[in-house]
């Protein structure tokens, strides 16, 4: 299928996990990809670019820290120069620094807010004019934790809840241009982010998840490509859960 033929898609934090799976899913549908990650991930981005090209797709990679507005602006300008336009922005880059608030340092707080929340502002702000030009789509990767909170994640929960407020407000601002803005709220997905969790906690998560397992990055990628497609033209300001029923 060629659902995204002639569409240019920027995915942040794309070198692994949900971002990588999403890039590959867009590539299968013939999108031109701008894949982003931070400096340390250049080799993984190169490999992903090769993988996409083997699928017959097109990809350029851009190293930029989403928390740094100047780097993000430069990246968006380069995408405009290299690929001519931008239709879809997937704000996926994110980290966690888990600690109870009693143990959390100001640095743990600030780092997560800077990447997970300000990163979404930076990328969206820099890309908005291009997206508006093409009646494009923005998909923000929030989290179930942003809705329900989680022990040891005040910083992450605050950032992910902030993304939800940002998504709904921007959806109201840009609806008149035909631009949609949605958020997704994954539960627990098998990626490096969750691999580090203690086995005991993983077991508990599975126990409380009606479907009895973690999600796969490809399952999240399907949802993101759906929200980026014409099929989702009337969906905006939504937060779509993808959590195996954990939120019930
Ligand atoms: P992941 O495998 O760690 O991928 C995230 C990518 O973002 C990594 O390559 C990371 O690089 C990159 N990144 C970190 N800081 C960045 C920055 N400043 N600028 C650009 N890229 C940066 O994690 P994932 O599980 O796929 O997570 C993707 C998104 O889904 C995140 O927003 C996460 O919060 C969200 N999410 C994940 C789950 C889950 O269960 N996995 C659940 C809910 C929501 P480094 O590895 O170098 O940090």
């Amino acid at each position: 299928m060629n659902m995204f033929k002639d569409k240019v898609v920027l995915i942040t934090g794309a070198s692994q996990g949900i971002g990588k799976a999403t890039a590959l899913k867009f590539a299968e549908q013939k999108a031109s990809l701008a894949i982003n990650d931070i400096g340390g991930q250049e080799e993984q981005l190169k490999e992903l670019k090769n993988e996409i090209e083997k699928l017959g797709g097109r990809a350029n990679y851009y190293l930029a820290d989403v928390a740094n507005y100047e780097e993000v602006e430069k990246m968006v300008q380069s995408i405009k120069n290299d690929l001519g336009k931008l239709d879809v922005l997937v704000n996926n880059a994110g980290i966690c620094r888990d600690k109870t608030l009693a143990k959390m340092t100001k640095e743990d707080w600030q780092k997560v807010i800077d990447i997970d929340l300000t990163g979404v502002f930076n990328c969206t702000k820099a890309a908005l004019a291009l997206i508006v030009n093409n009646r494009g789509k923005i998909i923000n990767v929030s989290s179930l934790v942003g809705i329900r909170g989680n022990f040891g994640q005040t910083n992450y929960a605050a950032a992910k809840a902030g993304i939800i407020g940002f998504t709904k407000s921007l959806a109201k601002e840009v609806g008149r241009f035909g631009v949609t803005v949605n958020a997704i709220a994954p539960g627990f997905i098998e990626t490096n982010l969750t691999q580090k969790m203690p086995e005991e906690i993983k077991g508990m998560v599975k126990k409380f998840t009606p479907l009895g397992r973690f999600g796969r990055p490809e399952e999240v990628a399907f949802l993101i490509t759906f929200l980026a497609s014409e099929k989702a033209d009337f969906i905006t300001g939504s937060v779509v859960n993808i959590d195996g029923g954990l939120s019930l």
Side-chain angles (χ1 to χ4, degrees), residues 12-20 36-41 44 64-68 91-97 111 114-116 141-145 156 160 163 184-194 196-197 214-215 217 220 242:
T12 65
S15 73
Q16 55 186 323
I18 293 169
K20 179 178 178 181
N36 152 270
D37 215 296
I38 41 175
Q41 307 292 358
Q44 288 96 316
D65 176 353
V66 296
N68 181 319
N91 281 310
N92 167 74
I95 61 157
C96 47
R97 293 277 183 277
K111 185 94 181 154
D114 286 351
I115 294 175
D116 293 20
V141 182
S142 177
S143 168
L144 181 59
V145 170
Y156 185 75
K160 293 299 185 180
I163 289 178
I184 65 163
F188 289 82
I189 311 299
E190 284 166 1
T191 69
N192 279 346
L193 209 68
T194 49
K196 306 163 201 155
M197 286 167 59
F214 277 38
V220 182
I242 175 160

Side-chain angles (χ1 to χ4, degrees), residues 169-240:
S169 302
L170 186 63
K172 289 188 176 187
E173 291 180 17
V174 297
R176 65 202 150 119
F177 305 119
V179 173
T180 68
V181 191
N182 290 292
I184 65 163
F188 289 82
I189 311 299
E190 284 166 1
T191 69
N192 279 346
L193 209 68
T194 49
Q195 209 177 18
K196 306 163 201 155
M197 286 167 59
E199 285 308 317
E200 190 195 336
I201 307 283
K202 284 188 194 169
M204 265 171 59
V205 168
K206 286 181 194 161
K207 195 172 145 209
F208 289 115
T209 302
L211 290 178
R213 64 173 176 87
F214 277 38
R216 291 184 286 274
E218 299 72 30
E219 293 174 311
V220 182
F222 263 119
L223 174 60
I224 293 174
T225 52
F226 167 69
L227 290 171
S229 76
E230 282 177 4
K231 311 261 185 234
D233 273 354
F234 202 54
I235 303 176
T236 198
S238 292
V239 184
V240 184

